[in-house]
Amino acid sequence: MKPTGILFFPAFDWAISPTHPEREERLLYTRDQLFEEGIMDLPGIKEYQSRMATEKDISRTHFCVPDVESRITKAHLVSAGSALVLADAFMRKEVKNAFAIIRPPGHHAMTVSHGNRGFCDINNEAIMVEYLRQHYGLKKIAIVDTDVHHGDGTQEIFYHDPDILFISFHQDGRTLYPGSGFMEELGGPLAYGTTINIPLDPGTGDYGIHYILDNLVLPVLEEFKPELVINSAGQDNHFSDPLANMNFTAQGYAILNQKLAPDIAVLEGGYSVETALPYVNMGIIMAMAGIDFSNLQEPGYKKENQSVAARETGSLDRIVKTQLRNFRSREEKVADNRKTGQTFFSYNRNIFYDTDYIHEEQKLNLRLCQNCGGYRSLSSAARQSDGAYYKIYAVNIPIYACEKCQAEGMELYRQMAESGKYDYIYLQDHPRDKFHAFNVKLLQEKVY
Amino acid sequence: MLLGIDVGGTFTDGVIFAQGEVIARVKQPTDERNIKQSLWSALDELLLKVDKDDIERVVLSTTLITNLLATGQGEPTALIMIPGYGMPYGEYNICEDTFFVRGFMDFRGREIENIDQDEVRDVLREITKRQIHRAAVVGKFSNRNHIQETMIKNIAKSDFPELDIYISSEVACRLNFPRRAVTTFYTAMILKEWNRFADEIETVFKQRHWNGRVEILKADGGTMTLDASRLQPCETAFSGPAAGNMGALALAGEAVNSVVLDIGGTTADISLLIEGKPLYASKGAKIDGRFTHINSLAVKSVPLGGDSVLSPDGDPLIRAYRLGPAACFGGDRPTVIDAFNVAFDLGIGNAAASYEKISRLGEQSGKPVQEVSRNVTDQVVLKLRAEITAMFREWEQEPAYKVWEVVNRKKFTLQRIIGIGAAAEAIIPLLAKDMGIDYLYHKYSPVANGLGAALVRPTIAVEVHIDTQSQKYSVNPQGHFGVIEKNSRFGLEKAKALALECLKNAAADRGLAHMTPQAQYYMEEQFNIVRGWDTAGKIFDIGIVIAPGFVEQFQGVIK
Ligand SMILES: [Zn+2]
Ligand SMILES: [Zn+2]
């Protein structure tokens, strides 16, 4: 039996600020617990070493403004690189599954990165997905976001991508950051139904999450048939988390991972550093490695707190029915959207970066292609935290783009570079695995 | 004069070293059934050659504990564990007489669940009923708070005085509960036997009217006093490779990145010297397949030695065993050494015998003698090179937990092979040439183990874990727990000063007070404990060590 791969990278020398929840201490007690339990000595566990992600790895997913070097810290490169180490280990069949216990986290980071959003600068899972598609030819991948916060960054990155199934369950966005993740957010016109949101009432416990898992998440995965399942493994659903109001336990997390059986799990949030993280991380490892976790219990656990309110089951059932229907109608809906006769689908939006207080204005265009998921382009403008103002234009040609979309996307990049209306022009050319950044003022192009 | 003896599995070697030279040496086969006899006969042979009053210090290294541990021979010992919540108890399959009792401590040393004194008494009663007179007690996170282990010890003291109790917080105080359990269990099991041996050592020297300093070599390449070894006998296991590695370092003279290759009759032991320091096994020494808290060198043993037999059917050509000496030393079969002898005209022993056996081998496979011998030597080089490369890669793959460490990761370049052991002289020149690096084979290489033992200095390491919110600190490996005053300005400097103080105390306890100026910090970690948006305290982990090195008298080997 192959071992479970673990990469533990607590970034003991990195914090957003000394008392911020995302600080050096965050995984200290997890280290104590894992080391005291002797987890890394077990024959069923193989510990891996971090590496830095390259600028190209980052550019495959993000448009970093103005560039990767100045936007992204070394800590983020190591965190993202750690996920890639495990992706390699899994694809080379060295491990049966793998868990990256890493920080800084990433699931609030969107395609364009002007700064830090929800403690995230770059999206570790999304970077890993693009890496897996490029290096190992994977096509269909599912990301299940089990963090208490809506994984809005991951959702945004793959919103128009019909091959990436993104499922997020989280505390209802009306009661918690980032205030999104409602059931109506189902994916773009050509990727309808491959984004599934499951907003849960505050106070939902083990029972509720397992009800959702058994009746919605697992059936959807079964029907989508992904080649790889990623757990975007936040731990802030725990009853002791200071930033949220859910009622999940370490046992609950272990059973969740046993049922979901992710190929790769990547740590996201979770800020109950003493009462939850040491035990939840143990639970996830034990479940993934097939170790009996019946003796796992965190201090403060009370069985009576897990009794189920009737109200809870009613609303859960409604979510399950609605989202199963939405998911199962996805092909029909996409076909309808292609018949509208429009060539482009576009919208404007504002994105707020809570950590860095940045307001980004964005306009997105998606080509409503008859043959593929379409290429997308976007313009974005923001004043960054150091006061610098950037106006950029970016084109994304996805890996599955048809010839026409590829040609049009590249032509658009050339036109915009000559238009003089922007400071930087970017192109993600996934089919050729080339990533361009053009500095308009200096007339310099960098290609990764 | 410094005297060192290493009783290894195959050979016992010893030296007396003075003024840069080995002035007396002995090398003889070890009698595995009587290790002590091998030790005392080597000692007596050396003592004959000098005036014993000139000997300042004696260091002994033996396989006594290694063998005891390997064969599981020791006193019957029980293990009492306080695992609390976490891993299933089934994982702790350490010994037959294992008992689990209630109790739960967390990582901050907070008692989450108390022990049940009646349950403890029942367990102790059952242990004595089984005619077992010693027990190891190990609690999860007892290194952060020893109260539950101590309570069990006290209950035994008052109610079951015939039972000797060893608690893990006094034996090995680092994180890793299973390793603490294994280390404490084996310490309890072999302590009596080791103390009998320590008594014998004292008697032997008394009989020889010598009353200087006797030290015991440890697995980490340092020594400890005989008295200190009485409490921590497990540290004396696996000292042989440490002796060889430190002996090689003494011969090398400079701190270049080297691989130490100890090639004996049946095996080649590979260890590393990185920037002049021995490389440690990242997970501690293994006993009976289980990791321990014994700090030991990283050693890879490859079943390939000078006497490895060559087989006529050629698949594989080199066998992983020995059937007597090489043909050039009167053996009746061709061996690896014979092949080197022929291929490079080394003139070792009776070279004609080597030639004859290798030609016979050639006839059987229809190949000329030169081709057969070169085939063997190429395979030996290929195999050793692959093992050395794999060992580096493993070392380079060690996990790092800080951004700084990952960004500034060093790339290792190997500069030299240092050969020790009987067969190294013939093999390493070719290997070094193949790898494109230097090699060193010194005239003292055959007694490098004895030399290492003679020259190394004592080592001692202390790790202090300080929690200013709970106002407590704990010290590994002494198992000392202390209280700090409430002081909002307890910073890194104070934490380091406290660690130094702890090291001084530990050194004084071990008769090493004079060495504290050589202590170095090797770990300085601090974390803010934040509750809400305020800093509620700090956690420090400070490590300070008197690292492996040589005694002051040693100023190098005369070239
Ligand atoms: Zn979160
Ligand atoms: Zn297209």
Side-chain angles (χ1 to χ4, degrees):
Chain A
M1 194 60 180
K2 271 181 257 166
T4 291
I6 293 186
L7 201 153
F8 179 59
F9 184 71
F12 279 152
D13 51 353
W14 181 84
I16 289 181
S17 72
T19 58
H20 192 280
E22 196 52 73
R23 63 178 178 272
E24 296 91 338
E25 182 195 7
R26 194 175 155 223
L27 289 172
L28 174 63
Y29 311 111
T30 294
R31 174 202 66 180
D32 285 354
Q33 192 71 35
L34 299 186
F35 284 20
E36 177 66 356
E37 297 278 12
I39 284 285
M40 304 302 188
D41 293 356
L42 297 173
I45 300 290
K46 184 167 163 44
E47 189 180 9
Y48 282 85
Q49 182 198 52
S50 314
R51 73 162 167 90
M52 284 206 278
T54 63
E55 286 161 5
K56 184 169 182 171
D57 293 330
I58 309 302
S59 304
R60 235 181 239 117
T61 295
H62 294 288
F63 300 115
C64 294
V65 184
D67 50 39
V68 181
E69 298 89 319
S70 54
R71 175 84 280 124
I72 307 304
T73 68
K74 295 278 194 288
H76 287 90
L77 292 178
V78 177
S79 188
S82 301
L84 301 184
V85 167
L86 291 186
D88 284 331
F90 181 78
M91 294 311 295
R92 289 181 194 141
K93 299 188 164 42
E94 293 168 17
V95 294
K96 66 174 175 185
N97 51 24
F99 182 20
I101 309 175
I102 55 177
R103 56 183 288 271
H107 75 147
H108 296 303
M110 296 185 172
T111 309
V112 179
S113 181
H114 283 286
N116 188 296
R117 265 194 98 241
F119 315 168
C120 308
D121 271 30
I122 49 175
N123 193 308
N124 298 325
E125 289 88 338
I127 289 166
M128 180 166 75
V129 163
E130 295 298 6
Y131 181 85
L132 284 163
R133 292 209 277 196
Q134 191 58 244
H135 285 85
Y136 296 99
L138 292 189
K139 206 166 169 284
K140 290 171 83 177
I141 296 175
I143 304 170
V144 181
D145 189 313
T146 57
D147 191 280
V148 76
H149 301 98
H150 176 226
D152 56 347
T154 318
Q155 167 169 313
E156 187 268 353
I157 290 168
F158 297 116
Y159 205 64
H160 298 286
D161 194 322
D163 293 338
I164 308 298
L165 172 63
F166 175 71
I167 304 175
S168 176
F169 60 74
H170 42 263
Q171 186 175 322
D172 193 315
R174 288 169 298 189
T175 62
L176 191 68
Y177 178 88
S180 56
F182 299 103
M183 285 204 281
E184 307 76 63
E185 298 162 32
L186 285 156
L190 301 185
Y192 183 91
T194 52
T195 295
I196 298 287
N197 280 297
I198 306 162
L200 299 168
D201 289 338
T204 304
D206 290 358
Y207 174 85
I209 294 177
H210 289 126
Y211 186 89
I212 288 293
L213 198 69
D214 294 341
N215 296 292
L216 177 56
V217 177
L218 294 178
V220 162
L221 285 174
E222 173 83 34
E223 289 174 34
F224 186 75
K225 296 192 180 14
E227 293 153 70
L228 186 103
V229 176
I230 297 167
N231 179 3
S232 192
Q235 310 188 349
D236 33 16
N237 282 293
H238 193 264
F239 63 80
S240 66
D241 196 89
L243 304 187
N245 319 90
M246 301 292 262
N247 198 19
F248 218 34
T249 69
Q251 278 283 330
Y253 267 105
I255 300 168
L256 182 154
N257 281 279
Q258 190 179 46
K259 286 181 179 169
L260 185 62
D263 298 305
I264 302 174
V266 179
L267 174 67
E268 283 297 337
Y271 299 95
S272 173
V273 299
E274 285 199 71
T275 319
L277 262 60
Y279 307 98
V280 174
N281 278 311
M282 274 292 289
I284 296 176
I285 293 171
M286 291 167 93
M288 289 182 76
I291 299 167
D292 169 15
F293 50 79
S294 54
N295 185 41
L296 179 70
Q297 185 179 305
E298 63 276 63
Y301 171 85
K302 289 197 183 68
K303 197 161 190 225
E304 58 270 27
N305 290 352
Q306 290 297 322
S307 58
V308 188
R311 179 181 59 83
E312 197 174 315
T313 46
S315 69
L316 293 174
D317 197 45
R318 189 177 54 86
I319 294 171
V320 166
K321 289 212 170 83
T322 309
Q323 292 297 53
L324 275 180
R325 197 172 48 235
N326 284 333
F327 176 73
R328 285 171 180 157
S329 69
R330 67 191 186 284
E331 280 161 7
E332 207 180 305
K333 269 280 169 49
V334 169
D336 286 349
N337 290 338
R338 281 206 167 95
K339 286 183 205 143
T340 55
Q342 287 172 302
T343 5
F344 283 96
F345 167 82
S346 51
Y347 55 82
N348 295 311
R349 63 180 166 184
N350 293 308
I351 297 166
F352 177 58
Y353 294 58
D354 60 310
T355 319
D356 281 353
Y357 286 98
I358 297 168
H359 292 273
E360 177 191 355
E361 279 175 47
Q362 207 181 82
K363 181 178 164 123
L364 181 133
N365 273 302
L366 173 80
R367 180 167 187 263
L368 287 174
C369 180
Q370 296 299 319
N371 303 310
C372 77
Y375 73 89
R376 65 188 162 126
S377 63
L378 49 85
S379 61
S380 154
R383 186 168 303 283
Q384 295 187 353
S385 53
D386 62 359
Y389 183 81
Y390 293 100
K391 212 171 156 203
I392 64 115
Y393 195 88
V395 181
N396 166 286
I397 304 173
I399 197 155
Y400 49 71
C402 69
E403 303 248 322
K404 182 113 198 293
C405 284
Q406 292 186 34
E408 261 190 41
M410 295 213 278
E411 180 54 29
L412 186 58
Y413 171 70
R414 271 190 291 273
Q415 282 174 13
M416 287 300 161
E418 284 162 15
S419 76
K421 283 195 264 180
Y422 300 93
D423 302 318
Y424 286 87
I425 317 291
Y426 304 91
L427 170 68
Q428 287 173 347
D429 179 2
H430 284 281
R432 270 154 293 273
D433 200 30
K434 287 273 180 262
F435 305 91
H436 305 246
F438 184 67
N439 180 331
V440 175
K441 201 190 280 169
L442 300 177
L443 295 174
Q444 275 173 358
E445 188 188 46
K446 209 182 277 178
V447 184
Y448 298 113
Chain B
M1 282 181 191
L2 301 164
L3 188 152
I5 300 174
D6 175 58
V7 182
T10 320
F11 287 106
T12 294
D13 60 64
V15 303
I16 294 175
F17 187 87
Q19 270 96 44
E21 283 182 291
V22 171
I23 56 171
R25 61 203 267 179
V26 51
K27 191 169 180 95
Q28 59 192 36
T30 300
D31 179 355
E32 274 186 78
R33 282 152 310 169
N34 199 341
I35 288 169
K36 294 172 190 171
Q37 191 44 49
S38 298
L39 175 61
W40 303 137
S41 81
L43 175 71
D44 286 334
E45 206 178 316
L46 286 171
L47 289 180
L48 281 177
K49 300 179 184 175
V50 295
D51 178 353
K52 66 177 186 309
D53 294 335
D54 292 339
I55 297 170
E56 295 153 67
R57 184 185 75 155
V58 169
V59 178
L60 305 177
S61 158
T62 77
T63 51
L64 186 86
I65 292 301
T66 315
N67 291 352
L68 271 182
L69 295 173
T71 53
Q73 290 164 351
E75 315 258 332
T77 305
L79 176 60
I80 303 172
M81 303 183 86
I82 321 166
Y85 295 113
M87 291 294 280
Y89 293 2
E91 287 290 327
Y92 308 124
N93 186 22
I94 294 167
C95 75
E96 217 169 285
D97 300 294
T98 301
F99 299 85
F100 299 102
V101 298
R102 261 187 293 280
F104 184 27
M105 193 70 73
D106 83 353
F107 38 81
R108 297 281 302 276
R110 291 173 296 215
E111 216 173 349
I112 307 288
E113 187 183 296
N114 297 328
I115 58 167
D116 172 347
Q117 305 213 357
D118 291 333
E119 183 193 36
V120 169
R121 280 192 193 90
D122 288 345
V123 163
L124 295 173
R125 194 169 301 119
E126 176 62 24
I127 291 171
T128 47
K129 211 189 273 171
R130 292 186 192 181
Q131 302 293 320
I132 298 172
H133 302 298
R134 51 197 55 243
V137 177
V138 189
K140 201 176 281 174
F141 286 115
S142 65
N143 58 325
R144 297 286 162 83
N145 183 347
H146 60 139
I147 187 155
Q148 297 188 339
E149 286 185 356
T150 309
M151 278 165 83
I152 294 178
K153 187 176 180 173
N154 290 340
I155 293 170
K157 211 186 230 168
S158 68
D159 298 4
F160 302 88
E162 67 278 28
L163 201 57
D164 280 336
I165 299 284
Y166 302 85
I167 61 177
S168 81
S169 47
E170 289 177 0
V171 173
C173 209
R174 242 185 254 157
L175 284 173
N176 199 316
F177 176 61
R179 285 191 220 166
R180 264 203 325 279
V182 172
T183 313
T184 312
F185 171 75
Y186 283 110
T187 300
M189 187 181 93
I190 60 165
L191 196 96
K192 271 244 166 92
E193 179 68 29
W194 176 261
N195 275 280
R196 276 194 286 272
F197 180 52
D199 292 342
E200 186 178 328
I201 293 172
E202 286 185 345
T203 311
V204 163
F205 283 104
K206 210 172 275 168
Q207 285 165 351
R208 285 152 185 77
H209 305 290
W210 185 80
N211 53 12
R213 200 178 168 90
V214 180
E215 290 174 5
I216 307 295
L217 192 68
K218 298 189 295 176
D220 72 353
T223 67
M224 63 178 161
T225 59
L226 185 60
D227 276 347
S229 77
R230 288 175 177 274
L231 296 174
Q232 322 235 273
C234 278
E235 291 187 26
T236 73
F238 317 109
S239 60
N245 186 286
M246 292 303 288
L249 179 59
L251 296 176
E254 47 187 333
V256 297
N257 294 332
S258 315
V259 57
V260 178
L261 208 49
D262 181 354
I263 312 178
T266 49
T267 59
D269 289 346
I270 307 169
S271 60
L272 301 181
L273 287 167
I274 290 166
E275 290 169 353
K277 293 188 189 80
L279 176 72
Y280 289 106
S282 59
K283 293 183 172 178
K286 253 181 166 177
I287 299 176
D288 196 19
R290 295 190 183 88
F291 292 109
T292 67
H293 275 308
I294 303 169
N295 209 4
S296 81
L297 263 57
V299 180
K300 192 161 189 180
S301 211
V302 184
L304 173 68
D307 298 343
S308 296
V309 172
L310 306 179
S311 88
D313 58 27
D315 185 32
L317 186 56
I318 305 167
R319 294 293 165 92
Y321 49 82
R322 171 183 195 267
L323 292 168
C328 57
F329 294 119
D332 50 13
R333 284 187 173 78
T335 66
V336 163
I337 282 295
D338 293 312
F340 275 85
N341 213 6
V342 170
F344 302 102
D345 226 349
L346 298 177
I348 301 170
N350 178 359
S354 291
Y355 192 86
E356 190 212 316
K357 295 291 181 198
I358 300 287
S359 340
R360 280 278 293 284
L361 198 65
E363 282 160 25
Q364 281 160 322
S365 56
K367 284 178 189 146
V369 62
Q370 272 304 326
E371 191 185 324
V372 175
S373 63
R374 284 311 286 251
N375 197 351
V376 173
T377 60
D378 285 352
Q379 281 192 36
V380 168
V381 165
L382 199 71
K383 171 91 181 150
L384 289 176
R385 184 176 179 159
E387 296 285 356
I388 291 169
T389 313
M391 200 162 166
F392 285 155
R393 198 163 305 136
E394 257 169 55
W395 174 73
E396 284 177 344
Q397 298 296 315
E398 289 282 303
Y401 302 123
K402 289 182 186 158
V403 177
W404 188 91
E405 291 168 347
V406 178
V407 173
N408 296 293
R409 186 170 284 142
K410 279 188 200 161
K411 191 85 190 127
F412 185 93
T413 40
L414 182 64
Q415 289 157 294
R416 182 189 275 178
I417 302 176
I418 305 173
I420 61 177
E425 187 174 15
I427 295 173
I428 62 162
L430 184 66
L431 179 62
K433 190 172 160 209
D434 183 71
M435 295 178 74
I437 55 177
D438 260 0
Y439 73 90
L440 173 72
Y441 187 83
H442 195 277
K443 65 176 174 177
Y444 298 152
S445 280
V447 288
N449 283 41
L451 187 69
L455 299 178
V456 295
R457 71 182 187 188
T459 53
I460 186 166
V462 161
E463 280 170 27
V464 184
H465 178 83
I466 304 163
D467 184 329
T468 69
Q469 190 189 27
S470 67
Q471 294 172 254
K472 285 180 187 156
Y473 70 91
S474 56
V475 188
N476 173 69
Q478 288 70 27
H480 175 64
F481 292 79
V483 175
I484 55 163
E485 311 165 25
K486 199 161 182 69
N487 179 349
S488 58
R489 275 178 307 208
F490 195 100
L492 185 63
E493 286 314 307
K494 281 207 170 153
K496 286 170 70 177
L498 176 60
L500 180 60
E501 205 49 43
C502 293
L503 179 98
K504 282 180 178 166
N505 292 337
D509 282 351
R510 287 185 165 203
L512 306 173
H514 61 288
M515 291 191 64
T516 44
Q518 323 216 25
Q520 301 162 317
Y521 294 95
Y522 65 92
M523 176 170 67
E524 295 175 23
E525 290 181 353
Q526 58 172 331
F527 299 91
N528 288 326
I529 305 169
V530 177
R531 295 302 165 259
W533 288 84
D534 296 318
T535 303
K538 276 176 181 283
I539 286 179
F540 298 95
D541 279 302
I542 311 291
I544 183 166
V545 64
I546 297 170
F550 301 109
V551 290
E552 271 173 24
Q553 295 98 306
F554 176 67
Q555 297 295 337
V557 176
I558 289 173
K559 299 283 164 195

